[in-house]
Amino acid sequence: MSTRFDGKTAIVTGASRGIGFAIAERLVAEGARVVLTGRGKDALDEAVAALGGPDRALGVAGKADDEEHQADVVRRAIATFGSADLLVNNAGINPAYGPMIDLDLAVARKVVDVNVLAALGWTQRVHAAWMKEHGGAVVNVSSVSGVKPAPGIGMYGASKAMLISMTELLAVELGPDIRVNAVAPAVVKTKFATALYEGREAEVAAQYPLKRLGVPDDIGGVVAFLLSEDAAWLTGQTVVVDGGVTLTGGVE
């Protein structure tokens, strides 16, 4: 494994498990110190231990859309590890399944708050505290449902489409010293996505040219690339990481 993140500190939201943890794990393996967020302290403590303990990782429990939590995490990242060079906006929710026309508007607002506005808030705070002066890189975790319609998870997809648009705009605003990109995964085998494949994994995977669903490490490697200097001339892009499924007309 390379050491391309030596001396760098990353904040990864929603990182106690699943895709967020895999991203953090990859960054630590390549030399970074990471600050993990999530709602459960016990899960974060386990994640920190798995990543090598307090010399490599710090867990801070809280809600992704809580502005005080955001400010506390950024302060603690800089106080503990000396910088806040990298940001991964991975936290997201999808609390409703069904037609968008029937969706409770309070639920819709919460989806936008967590999936979009929280990502903007994290970016604003890291920018003000560190990146504006020192530069950095941001990756937003979107979804293939933000690239093309996904019936049943319409508001989630709409929020992820908004996140892609925001990624492009921030890339324009924050260059040249800060790069902002996104990834758009298809179904990845995590607890978050269980409802999309449980009991029918073979059927779902058959739609994919690569004939399997994603695993968290598939996303971790791409995010690490986007955050690294290997992607130094790449900004405002959304990398679709989908096993080829969007080529065949599906999003699962």
Side-chain angles (χ1 to χ4, degrees):
M1 198 64 73
S2 75
T3 56
R4 58 186 173 177
F5 298 118
D6 274 358
K8 302 290 187 182
T9 302
I11 296 171
V12 185
T13 69
S16 63
R17 58 190 169 116
I19 290 173
F21 178 78
I23 293 168
E25 189 174 42
R26 181 61 178 263
L27 296 179
V28 166
E30 296 197 42
R33 289 80 50 89
V34 298
V35 180
L36 317 177
T37 79
R39 297 188 63 175
K41 182 181 183 304
D42 290 345
L44 284 171
D45 288 345
E46 292 177 6
V48 167
L51 292 171
D55 289 340
R56 304 306 305 175
L58 170 70
V60 185
K63 297 180 179 179
D65 58 339
D66 182 332
E67 294 182 18
E68 292 184 4
H69 170 63
Q70 295 171 5
D72 180 49
V73 170
V74 175
R75 281 196 302 266
R76 292 178 65 179
I78 295 171
T80 303
F81 295 128
S83 63
D85 313 282
L86 312 170
L87 172 65
V88 181
N89 286 307
N90 173 67
I93 60 170
N94 182 29
Y97 185 86
M100 184 184 285
I101 195 65
D102 298 325
L103 185 63
D104 186 304
L105 291 183
V107 174
R109 292 186 187 98
K110 186 63 176 178
V111 170
V112 173
D113 280 346
V114 175
N115 294 0
V116 183
L117 298 183
L120 177 58
W122 284 104
T123 306
Q124 289 175 332
R125 291 183 183 281
V126 173
H127 176 260
W130 186 263
M131 290 187 184
K132 183 177 182 180
E133 182 175 351
H134 302 281
V138 179
V139 172
N140 296 319
V141 179
S142 182
S143 165
V144 291
S145 65
V147 176
K148 60 187 302 182
I153 55 171
M155 195 65 218
Y156 176 79
S159 73
K160 293 299 189 177
M162 187 175 179
L163 187 60
I164 289 171
S165 179
M166 189 172 76
T167 296
E168 295 171 350
L169 183 59
L170 287 173
V172 173
E173 289 186 356
L174 299 181
D177 297 322
I178 302 168
R179 297 182 300 104
V180 186
N181 291 291
V183 291
V187 177
V188 176
K189 293 172 65 175
T190 64
K191 184 176 180 181
F192 180 82
T194 299
L196 298 176
Y197 67 88
E198 190 173 37
R200 57 189 187 99
E201 181 176 340
E203 176 188 348
V204 175
Q207 302 174 48
Y208 289 64
L210 295 185
K211 302 306 179 188
R212 69 172 177 88
L213 302 184
V215 295
D217 285 348
D218 291 323
I219 312 306
V222 176
V223 171
F225 163 71
L226 292 173
L227 291 172
S228 77
E229 287 303 305
D230 291 330
W233 207 47
L234 196 158
T235 196
Q237 303 305 304
T238 296
V239 179
V240 176
V241 190
D242 71 342
V245 72
T246 55
L247 302 174
T248 64
V251 295
E252 289 190 353

